[in-house]
Amino acid sequence: MSANHYLLLTPGPLTTSKTVKEAMLLDSCTWDDDYNLGVVQSIRQQLTSLATTTSGYTTVLLQGSGSFAVEAVLGSTMRQHDKVLIISNGAYGVRMAEMAQRMDIAHHVYDCGETSLPDAAVIEQLLQDDEQITHIAMVHCETTTGILNPVEAVGRLAKQYRKRYILDAMSSFGGIPMDIAELNVDFMISSANKCIQGVPGFAFVIARVDQLLVCKKYSRSLSLDLYEQWECMEKYHGKWRFTSPTHTVLAFAQALKELEQEGGITARYQRYSQNQRQLVTGMRQLGFETLLKDDWQSPIITAFYSPKAADYHFKQFYERLKAQGFVIYPGKVSQSDCFRIGNIGEVYQQDIAALLVAIKQAIYWENKESV
C-alpha cells in the first residue's frame, strides 16, 4: 500500500470495498422513483429486517453523521417534562449528556468510569429513586475503549420500569448479532460508515412505530425532526425532506448486498472477532498490554497501553505505520496513555498479520533511533 492508499484500522470511517466505492460513480435524482422506491425504500426495509424479526419497527434515514441522529432522537422523542438517564462510560456517553444540556432536556448522568461496566443494581436504584426518569440512553460499543456494554440487562430494566430505551449502536449494529425487540429497544441509532461498511454521509434510526407516532411536534429542531423525516419517507415512498446524500446511499445499498454475500451479520461478527483475537495475540507477543479485560472487549476496536519507553511518541509511531500502509487511532481515554486499533471494514486476517509485521518494524525503528 502507498501513503495515498492505506488500510483504515479505525471504528469508522473505515476501509470499504472497491465495489462500494464504484457504486458512487452514478448520479441519482432525489425525486426519481428508481432512487426512492428502488434504493431508499429497499434500504429501509433491509435495515429493519436486520435489526429484528418482530413486526412494529421502522427505519428512518437521516442526513449527517451518527451524532446527528443521536441528537435527533434525544431532541425528537422527549417532551418538556420528560427526563433521560444517560449511562456513560466514555466520550460518546459524555456527548449525549452535552446534547441533552444544550437542548435543555432534563437528564441524570450515571458515570461509571471509562474502564468499568455499568452496574445494573445501581441503574435500578436510580430508577427507583427518581420517578421523573422516562427514558434510558446508553452506548452499546463505547469506542473510547472498545468496551461492550450490557444491553440485555439495561433492556430488562427498561421493560420492568416502563422506560423508553434509546440505544446508540453506532459501532456495533451490523457487526454484532442482536434483535432489538428482544432487547426492548425503542430507538436504535447507527451510521452508514460503520459495520455495514458503507461511506459517511447519513445515519439511521430503527424505531418502534408506536413510540415514533407519539413524537409528532416534539422536536426542538427543524432539520433533526425524526418524526417529520419518517412521515415524509412514509408518505412519499422514500423521499427525504431535504437533499438526500445520493452517492452515499448508493454505496450503502451495495454494502448491504456485500453483507448478505458474506453470510450476514453472524458471518461478519465471526470475521471481526477473528481479527480482534489475532490482533490481541500478536500485540501481546510484541509486548503490548490491552486496556480492558478480554471478557469486556468488543470485536470492534481495541485500546492498547502505550509503550513505557521514554523515547516513544505516538505521532512518530503513527507516521511509521502509515508509511507502511496502515492508519490507527490515537487514544481517547482521559486517565490512561493508550492508542486504539480497529479491525472492522474490509479487513481480513492477512491484513492483521501484515499490520503486526509493520508494528514490529515500527518498534525496531523506535529502538534503533534510541541507540
Side-chain angles (χ1 to χ4, degrees):
M1 297 182 185
S2 69
N4 294 320
H5 184 70
Y6 40 71
L7 201 69
L8 289 175
L9 297 162
T10 71
L14 37 69
T15 296
T16 55
S17 68
K18 180 181 179 183
T19 41
V20 164
K21 297 179 183 72
E22 288 174 343
M24 294 187 286
L25 296 175
L26 179 68
D27 296 323
S28 292
C29 173
T30 58
W31 275 102
D32 191 86
D33 284 345
D34 288 342
Y35 174 72
N36 290 317
L37 286 171
V39 181
V40 177
Q41 290 293 73
S42 176
I43 286 173
R44 294 180 66 208
Q45 292 160 6
Q46 288 179 76
L47 286 173
T48 305
S49 296
L50 287 173
T52 183
T53 57
T54 302
S55 61
Y57 280 83
T58 187
T59 295
V60 191
L61 311 183
L62 192 71
Q63 298 94 327
S65 72
S67 292
F68 283 57
V70 174
E71 189 161 338
V73 170
L74 289 173
S76 299
T77 64
M78 301 191 63
R79 297 163 295 179
Q80 293 299 321
H81 59 274
D82 286 340
K83 184 175 184 179
V84 58
L85 170 62
I86 298 172
I87 301 168
S88 176
N89 58 352
Y92 297 97
V94 171
R95 185 174 296 177
M96 281 199 286
E98 184 177 357
M99 291 173 181
Q101 182 178 13
R102 295 231 181 170
M103 289 185 284
D104 198 25
I105 293 172
H107 62 284
H108 177 88
V109 179
Y110 165 37
D111 185 350
C112 58
E114 293 169 320
T115 56
S116 298
L117 287 175
D119 186 333
V122 173
I123 296 170
E124 183 167 21
Q125 190 64 56
L126 289 169
L127 295 175
Q128 292 174 352
D129 291 345
D130 190 347
E131 294 183 356
Q132 290 185 324
I133 292 172
T134 54
H135 295 64
I136 303 172
M138 184 176 73
V139 177
H140 185 196
C141 175
E142 177 53 83
T143 54
T144 301
T145 59
I147 202 167
L148 201 60
N149 283 320
V151 289
E152 298 89 349
V154 175
R156 286 193 294 269
L157 289 171
K159 182 177 182 179
Q160 179 182 348
Y161 288 90
R162 298 182 180 181
K163 310 302 181 184
R164 302 287 74 77
Y165 188 14
I166 298 169
L167 183 65
D168 175 344
M170 207 68 62
S171 298
S172 58
F173 180 71
I176 298 176
M178 68 179 82
D179 187 312
I180 63 172
E182 292 180 359
L183 295 172
N184 301 306
V185 173
D186 296 288
F187 299 91
M188 191 221 74
I189 309 152
S190 192
S191 179
N193 58 294
K194 301 291 185 177
C195 294
I196 303 294
Q197 298 184 182
V199 301
F202 75 92
F204 51 90
V205 179
I206 304 174
R208 288 189 195 272
V209 175
D210 60 349
Q211 294 302 317
L212 189 55
L213 283 170
V214 300
C215 296
K216 187 175 182 178
K217 304 297 184 182
Y218 282 8
S219 180
R220 294 157 171 80
S221 167
L222 172 66
S223 58
L224 298 181
D225 189 326
L226 191 66
Y227 175 87
E228 293 287 348
Q229 184 86 339
W230 172 75
E231 185 180 55
C232 182
M233 288 185 167
E234 289 288 296
K235 186 180 295 186
Y236 298 106
H237 311 293
K239 177 71 175 64
W240 303 55
R241 287 188 305 151
F242 307 119
T243 303
S244 168
T246 53
H247 298 86
T248 298
V249 171
L250 294 175
F252 192 76
Q254 176 61 29
L256 282 170
K257 292 178 185 177
E258 295 177 13
L259 173 63
E260 183 179 3
Q261 291 165 0
E262 185 171 352
I265 293 175
T266 299
R268 186 155 290 179
Y269 171 70
Q270 291 172 349
R271 173 164 64 87
Y272 288 170
S273 297
Q274 289 170 352
N275 286 347
Q276 198 271 340
R277 288 193 296 268
Q278 181 183 359
L279 172 68
V280 169
T281 298
M283 290 293 282
R284 284 173 175 164
Q285 289 172 350
L286 292 173
F288 290 91
E289 297 179 20
T290 56
L291 178 71
L292 299 176
K293 298 189 297 185
D294 288 351
D295 56 354
W296 290 2
Q297 179 67 57
S298 75
I300 307 302
I301 190 168
T302 307
F304 296 93
Y305 284 108
S306 298
K308 294 183 172 62
D311 56 350
Y312 168 81
H313 300 285
F314 173 77
K315 183 64 174 175
Q316 290 180 340
F317 185 58
Y318 172 90
E319 292 295 341
R320 286 165 181 165
L321 290 178
K322 184 177 177 181
Q324 297 180 78
F326 301 96
V327 170
I328 64 171
Y329 242 35
K332 204 165 188 172
V333 182
S334 60
Q335 303 299 319
S336 301
D337 183 9
C338 58
F339 61 89
R340 296 171 292 162
I341 300 178
N343 41 250
I344 62 176
E346 280 292 294
V347 178
Y348 298 88
Q349 288 183 278
Q350 61 267 29
D351 298 310
I352 299 299
L355 168 68
L356 291 168
V357 171
I359 290 173
K360 185 175 182 179
Q361 184 64 40
I363 295 170
Y364 169 76
W365 282 336
E366 293 274 2
N367 294 337
K368 185 178 179 181
E369 287 188 358
S370 65
V371 175

